[in-house]
Amino acid sequence: MKFRHLYLVFTLAAVAFAAWVTGRYVSRLVETASFFPIRQVQVFGLRKYPVQQLIRQSGLRPGESLVFVNTTAVRRNVEAVARLSVLDVSRTFPETLVLRVEEREGMALISTGAEIAELDRQGRILGRGPAGLDCDKPLLHLP
């Protein structure tokens, strides 16, 4: 009876260990395998911003799997560009990642003396430049 109990414990331990090793192997295999590699990135909504620059900014790696792409990270990376707002990041199987973006438009300029900042409707700074730029937007002077 005692040997039978030990045999059962060792068998269960061996099965659990084998399952753990197999799970780690399969997990690594799936993560590194190129299932559904991204072959095309479709970008909608850009007017002036270069598509290739947006794709570089997104952090996508060549050959990255469409299954494992982190859409939250892609959104965060693209929105780090002040001029861009991400509306949607989606997958279209088997090989396409779709980015729908909106370019923020400058509505006014603020002059602080030596520098001019361009603002959008929400007051977000889109860019800065030297004072004296000629522009068709309203210019606000700050002391």
Side-chain angles (χ1 to χ4, degrees), residues 20 27 35 40 64 72 75-76 106 110 133 135:
W20 177 76
S27 174
F35 296 113
Q40 183 179 16
E64 185 172 2
T72 304
R75 175 184 294 270
R76 186 177 50 248
I110 291 183
L133 292 176
C135 191

Side-chain angles (χ1 to χ4, degrees), residues 108-129:
L109 299 172
I110 291 183
S111 174
T112 60
E115 187 176 66
I116 290 180
E118 184 179 16
L119 303 175
D120 70 357
R121 286 184 195 271
Q122 287 79 32
R124 182 177 179 150
I125 296 175
L126 301 179
R128 297 175 192 267

Side-chain angles (χ1 to χ4, degrees), residues 22-101:
T22 303
R24 289 192 45 109
Y25 174 76
V26 169
S27 174
R28 260 201 203 124
L29 179 67
V30 169
E31 287 174 5
T32 59
S34 58
F35 296 113
F36 302 111
I38 298 173
R39 293 201 170 100
Q40 183 179 16
V41 178
Q42 292 180 342
V43 180
F44 298 100
L46 288 181
R47 291 185 310 265
K48 296 178 184 175
Y49 199 84
V51 172
Q52 290 304 318
Q53 192 172 343
L54 175 111
I55 292 171
R56 277 194 305 277
Q57 180 71 31
S58 72
L60 294 170
R61 296 180 311 271
E64 185 172 2
S65 173
L66 190 61
V67 174
F68 297 109
V69 70
N70 183 342
T71 57
T72 304
V74 170
R75 175 184 294 270
R76 186 177 50 248
N77 292 342
V78 172
E79 286 188 341
V81 177
R83 292 198 168 276
L84 300 176
S85 173
V86 177
L87 303 176
D88 186 43
V89 179
S90 60
R91 301 170 177 94
T92 304
F93 286 94
E95 61 189 22
T96 306
L97 185 74
V98 179
L99 294 168
R100 295 184 196 289
V101 298

